[in-house]
Amino acid sequence: LDCEPGLQKEERKSSSTERTENKEEQRVRELKEMKRNYGIGTGLEEQRQEIPGFIDRAAERRLIHGVDHLHAKTETASVDQPIGTKNKGFRLLEKMGWDGGGLGRAGQGREEPVQVEQRAPNAGLGT
């Protein structure tokens, strides 16, 4: 078969099983490479090379102070106390010029959170 100008001729493999094995080997190799690049998987501690004179201060800190979960909630919501100043929503409102009070145009909006009422189990909305 002749190819058109600018196109390359594709070389065909002799058997389909050889092609699938190559694809599987390629997939495994690429997966290992991605794990190594992103630091995912087991045995990474063994692969890490020690640098002479390097002191891992972060490891020492983790031993002394423990490890904090990155996404752990540090505050709990309550209708009895106001939102803290470190709350993300509070900071966003502050950046937009909010200084307390209602959120309406003239500050007439609700200032306290909506109170939660417990309904009887299996009760409809109208009861």
Side-chain angles (χ1 to χ4, degrees):
L1 291 170
D2 293 329
C3 293
E4 293 181 28
L7 296 178
Q8 295 179 351
K9 189 183 262 188
E10 179 182 345
E11 293 182 22
R12 305 226 173 198
K13 299 288 182 183
S14 59
S15 68
S16 61
T17 56
E18 183 180 317
R19 194 172 0 165
T20 57
E21 287 175 325
N22 285 341
K23 282 186 177 182
E24 180 63 19
E25 290 171 3
Q26 181 182 2
R27 185 191 69 79
V28 169
R29 184 174 32 81
E30 288 175 355
L31 184 62
K32 283 182 182 179
E33 186 177 330
M34 282 177 31
K35 283 184 177 183
R36 188 181 73 248
N37 289 342
Y38 292 106
I40 301 171
T42 58
L44 294 175
E45 293 79 21
E46 300 163 1
Q47 292 178 359
R48 189 178 357 181
Q49 298 173 354
E50 293 295 325
I51 300 171
F54 175 74
I55 300 170
D56 191 358
R57 295 187 315 220
E60 292 175 0
R61 182 199 169 281
R62 287 189 294 271
L63 287 173
I64 294 170
H65 299 288
V67 179
D68 293 336
H69 189 275
L70 293 176
H71 305 291
K73 288 185 94 176
T74 56
E75 295 181 13
T76 57
S78 172
V79 294
D80 300 327
Q81 51 183 303
I83 295 173
T85 57
K86 290 187 175 186
N87 182 286
K88 191 173 195 171
F90 183 87
R91 288 185 287 156
L92 284 170
L93 285 169
E94 257 187 345
K95 285 182 183 179
M96 291 188 280
W98 180 70
D99 57 350
L103 292 177
R105 186 177 211 173
Q108 80 280 9
R110 182 180 299 220
E111 294 183 24
E112 289 82 27
V114 177
Q115 295 296 321
V116 178
E117 296 178 11
Q118 180 114 16
R119 293 185 310 153
N122 299 329
L125 291 174
T127 57

